Amino acid sequence: TDAVQLESLCGIGGGLTIGTGTSSWNYPMDTYWHDARTQVIYLQSEIGAASRLDGLALDVTTLPGQPLGNWTIRMKHTPLSVYTAASWDDTDWTVVYQNDETVSATGWVTFDFATPFEYDGVDNLMIDFSYNNNSWTSDGQCRYSTPGGVRSLFFHADSTYGDPLTWAGTYPGPSISTNVPNIKLFGGSPVSMTPNASGAFTSGT
């Protein structure tokens, strides 16, 4: 019998695809090594307007040979459109997804965020992928594109440098790449509602 406040709705679509390349790269699922981290810049021109991002998918072509321990996806806004130095960004990240992940199927593999990311529609978006294992098997691979410019940092190790989430600056020194993993972003923009409050419900209606 109580009135219910409706502040906004969020339109959810089938996912915004960024990247059309068909070649495969072993990042961000480089499980031939114990640990790996991949940090990527996606441009505002590729993403569009402000939106609440609540999921991401990677186009997996080869399954990782083992689970991804503490598989973590982080996001942040950035003024960078390319990397001008090979240096990890280590501040102001939002952890949107974290799980001991077993990738069991190829194709688009979706990671539903535990914490949505409020993208501002103005800045570019930096996405950081990492996992932390204590053994190695064989690489997973994902499709990527080369849209131009140095847009990725990556590094792998066999437990030599500790947790990849703590890598900062030039320790350990990442490599640079023009490869950009293809992704789908899921979410939508808030939609204004009129009126912004319902009437009273009667028997649930």
Side-chain angles (χ1 to χ4, degrees), residues 70-183:
N70 203 40
W71 170 246
T72 301
I73 303 174
R74 301 185 289 181
M75 292 184 167
K76 65 177 293 181
H77 294 103
T78 180
L80 297 178
S81 57
V82 295
Y83 286 104
T84 57
S87 179
W88 301 112
D89 203 311
D90 61 340
T91 59
D92 300 325
W93 289 106
T94 297
V95 176
V96 295
Y97 187 89
Q98 193 167 65
N99 189 46
D100 290 334
E101 196 73 33
T102 299
V103 180
S104 57
T106 57
W108 287 106
V109 177
T110 300
F111 307 98
D112 295 320
F113 296 165
T115 302
F117 185 83
E118 300 291 345
Y119 175 63
D120 66 10
V122 176
D123 293 316
N124 298 322
L125 179 65
M126 190 176 286
I127 304 180
D128 188 274
F129 305 89
S130 69
Y131 69 87
N132 185 8
N133 287 342
N134 56 18
S135 63
W136 59 272
T137 49
S138 58
D139 283 332
Q141 294 195 332
C142 299
R143 295 193 196 279
Y144 72 94
S145 301
T146 52
V150 176
R151 302 256 301 265
S152 293
L153 304 179
F154 65 95
F155 191 80
H156 58 232
D158 278 342
S159 301
T160 311
Y161 299 97
D163 187 345
L165 294 174
T166 67
W167 298 352
T170 57
Y171 182 85
S175 298
I176 60 175
S177 179
T178 57
N179 293 354
V180 176
N182 296 351
I183 60 171

Side-chain angles (χ1 to χ4, degrees), residues 1-4 198-205:
T1 60
D2 294 331
V4 177
S198 74
F201 282 82
T202 302
S203 300
T205 301

